[in-house]
Structure formats: structure tokens, C-alpha cells
Amino acid sequence: MPLVAPLSPEHSPETKKLAEFFNETLGFCPNSILTMQYRPAISKAFINLNMAVMANEGRVTSALKRMIAWVSSNATGCRYCQAHAIRAAERYGAEQEQLDNIWEYKTHPAFSDAERAALDFSLAASQVPNAVDAQIKEELYKYWDEGEIVEMLGVISLFGYLNRWNDSMGTTLEKDAIASGNQYLGKHGFEVGKHV
């Protein structure tokens, strides 16, 4: 049971229009957005930030951004965001072998060294205390430029917000997100937990 029940998608016409972005990303409007609508300025600001962060301006692909989001959400333990991130990675063309082996990104041959550097950065930046250090920086700069690193940290920071929002809220996980979570994360013990 969520801390605050989501409002109807019809509650705020402006939020509903902006939220069409998520129909491409996830195939539905997330319950997190429907909860943010209690304060429409928050839902609108969040959707606009999400669109800006997920825009591709360098070589960081949409699929990699969603895998960065998954690593970040896994580090913080947010099941809601793990399921959403892996679903979005699938919808944005992540390779099947990567989706099936995201837990083993550090060693699995489906991941390039550049992707490993990005995902290691996500893991380090999502930990408390923060674990970004000189070695993480050195690996990032082997493969990515400053703008691309900013894009990655935008994703990590966006999901830091979402991880706290959804885990504290106990946001109800949508059935399609549950299916993606079970399919790609189930072999490692994915469960809906408080997001029922």
C-alpha cells in the first residue's frame, strides 16, 4: 500500500500531456508521476528534467542510460526503479545478452570496457558514502568526454531522486514493469517488495 495513493492521469491535463513521454519509455505513465501530481509543479518539473536528462547529445545511448539507471537503483535497493530501468533499457534496444546479464556487467563479455566504466561510475556515485575516486575518473576519461560524463551523472542523480521518492512512497509497481523485472532480474531474486 503506497504512502500516498496515485491520482488519476486525468487530474492535471498539463501533466498528462507531458507524461506522454513515458508512453515511449515504458509504455505507460508511471504511478510515481501520478503521485507527484498532488503538487503539479513537482510533476511538471520532474517530467521536464527527465526529458532533458534522457536526451542523447553524445555517444551515451538511450539503452546505456537506462542500464546506468538500473545500476544506480540496484545500489540503493529501489525495486520500483530497478524494474522501470530494465524495462526502459529493453524498450530502447539494449542487447538481449546485456539484459540477461546486467548483474554481471563487470565481467560479462556482452559489455564493453566503455560501458563498464560508465556502469562502475553509476555504482560508485550511487553509494553512500560516495565512492567516486581518481580511478573511476581515470577510467571514465579513457572512453567518455566531459559532456557525456555530465549526461551520465544526470541519469544517476535523476534516479537518486526517484529511488528516494519511490522507496519512501512505496509506489505501486505497474504490471508491465513487474513482468520486465521478473524476466531480467528474477534469477537474482527480484521481488516487488513494498511496491505491491
Side-chain angles (χ1 to χ4, degrees), residues 81-135:
C81 294
Q82 289 173 33
H84 278 223
I86 204 71
R87 178 174 178 78
E90 174 188 27
R91 291 175 64 88
Y92 278 99
E95 295 175 21
Q96 185 69 43
E97 200 170 0
Q98 289 181 323
L99 293 167
D100 290 338
N101 296 287
I102 188 75
W103 290 88
E104 291 87 26
Y105 80 84
K106 287 180 177 277
T107 58
H108 198 279
F111 296 89
S112 70
D113 289 339
E115 290 167 330
R116 284 190 187 93
L119 297 173
D120 282 345
F121 175 48
S122 180
L123 179 61
S126 301
Q127 295 173 350
V128 177
N130 188 289
V132 176
D133 59 15
Q135 183 179 356

